[in-house]
């Protein structure tokens, strides 16, 4: 069945460092791809999405490009902030929304 | 409120007891989803409603789990004869629209109901 595999954490970075969180997917169809974020004490919220191959989703300085040839949707940010500390979930939507296991990011000042 | 509301936020119960978890979605959202999240894992799909009917209940683990949405708004997840393995955070999400192919847009999540079965 459809599934998502994302980079295991936790990830700890210093402020202004470059961030990459890897995500690959397996799907029989043409899913939409998402990154959701869960800040401490809050519910999951959508960070960005891409609905077809070669689309780039972006929000709050984060970007991810839907790569059909490598079945990937890696999350990147050029300069992280302490406020980016959260758990990040990669997800795909085909018959239903399926999530990866999550990657905890801690950014230190 | 403006967001998805879930009650109770915490529930501790004994093995074998019956539990109900409530979800109040964003007004006007026709699609409603239940997920279960165990520690260190991503949300696991349980069931999805389009309006009053369950469009996909393939994620319900067994017949002890049941969910209803009688008026197309509030939903209740019901767990009978709870077991220790049912301990998890139960998440509810709603979406403005959905299709047979899944959520067409953004899912809005509640903060979850943490269930602990002793």
């Amino acid at each position: 069945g459809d599934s998502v595999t994302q980079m295991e954490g936790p990830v700890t970075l210093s402020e202004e460092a470059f961030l990459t969180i890897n995500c690959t997917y397996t799907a029989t169809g043409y899913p939409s791809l998402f990154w959701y974020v869960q800040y401490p004490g809050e519910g999951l919220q959508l960070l960005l999405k891409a609905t077809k191959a070669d689309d780039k989703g972006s929000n709050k300085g984060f970007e991810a490009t839907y790569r059909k040839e490598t079945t990937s949707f890696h999350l990147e940010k050029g300069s992280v902030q302490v406020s980016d500390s959260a758990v990040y979930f990669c997800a795909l939507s085909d018959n239903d929304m399926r999530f990866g296991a999550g990657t905890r990011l801690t950014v230190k000042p | 409120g403006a967001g998805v509301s879930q009650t109770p936020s915490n529930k501790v119960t004994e093995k074998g007891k019956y539990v109900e978890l409530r979800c109040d979605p964003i007004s006007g959202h026709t699609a409603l989803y239940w997920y279960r999240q165990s520690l260190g894992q991503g949300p696991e799909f349980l069931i999805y409603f389009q309006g009053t009917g369950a469009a996909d209940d393939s994620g319900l683990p067994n017949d002890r789990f049941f969910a209803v949405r009688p008026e197309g708004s509030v939903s209740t997840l019901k767990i009978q004869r709870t077991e220790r393995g049912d301990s998890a955070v139960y998440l509810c999400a709603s979406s403005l629209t959905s299709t047979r192919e899944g959520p067409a847009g953004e899912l809005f999540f509640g903060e979850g109901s943490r269930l602990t079965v002793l």
Side-chain angles (χ1 to χ4, degrees):
Chain A
D2 293 358
S3 65
V4 170
T5 302
Q6 67 179 98
M7 170 178 160
E8 290 187 15
V11 174
T12 302
L13 295 173
S14 297
E15 207 165 22
E16 299 184 2
F18 182 85
L19 168 71
T20 300
I21 301 178
N22 290 338
C23 171
T24 57
Y25 69 90
T26 303
T28 53
Y30 301 94
S32 295
L33 301 174
F34 304 81
W35 277 99
Y36 276 80
V37 59
Q38 188 169 28
Y39 297 104
E42 299 184 16
L44 277 85
Q45 55 187 274
L46 179 67
L47 179 61
L48 53 84
K49 68 177 183 181
T51 57
K52 60 183 187 298
D54 299 325
D55 269 3
K56 178 186 283 188
S58 61
N59 186 25
K60 298 182 180 180
F62 291 88
E63 292 184 340
T65 301
Y66 190 147
R67 302 278 188 205
K68 189 164 177 282
E69 63 276 12
T70 54
T71 63
S72 65
F73 193 56
H74 304 323
L75 182 68
E76 296 183 336
K77 186 173 185 180
S79 176
V80 293
Q81 305 300 312
V82 172
S83 58
D84 294 328
S85 298
V87 182
Y88 292 82
F89 294 91
C90 186
L92 69 77
S93 171
D94 199 345
N95 289 319
D96 53 67
M97 186 79 86
R98 293 185 182 268
F99 289 83
T103 303
R104 181 177 297 278
L105 170 67
T106 301
V107 180
K108 297 189 172 180
Chain B
V4 176
S5 176
Q6 291 188 245
T7 55
S9 55
N10 277 286
K11 176 70 176 178
V12 180
T13 191
E14 294 179 344
K15 181 173 176 293
K17 299 291 187 183
Y18 170 80
V19 166
E20 288 191 352
L21 306 176
R22 175 189 167 106
C23 173
D24 198 344
I26 292 173
S27 177
H29 280 195
T30 59
L32 183 146
Y33 305 79
W34 282 101
Y35 288 84
R36 178 169 69 176
Q37 187 175 16
S38 301
L39 191 63
Q41 301 295 315
E44 172 193 5
F45 171 76
L46 297 177
I47 185 170
Y48 134 63
F49 289 88
Q50 182 64 21
T52 59
D56 183 352
D57 64 358
S58 62
L60 295 177
N62 51 60
D63 62 5
R64 294 187 297 105
F65 287 75
F66 189 71
V68 296
R69 194 186 186 199
E71 296 177 359
S73 178
V74 171
S75 176
T76 304
L77 178 67
K78 308 180 181 193
I79 311 173
Q80 299 177 323
R81 305 183 304 281
T82 52
E83 299 177 357
R84 292 194 180 88
D86 298 335
S87 298
V89 177
Y90 289 82
L91 299 172
C92 177
S94 69
S95 176
L96 188 58
T97 62
S98 186
T99 68
R100 283 182 63 85
E101 286 71 43
E106 179 177 355
L107 292 190
F108 292 83
F109 281 87
E111 292 189 21
S113 293
R114 182 178 297 278
L115 174 65
T116 303
V117 182
L118 301 177

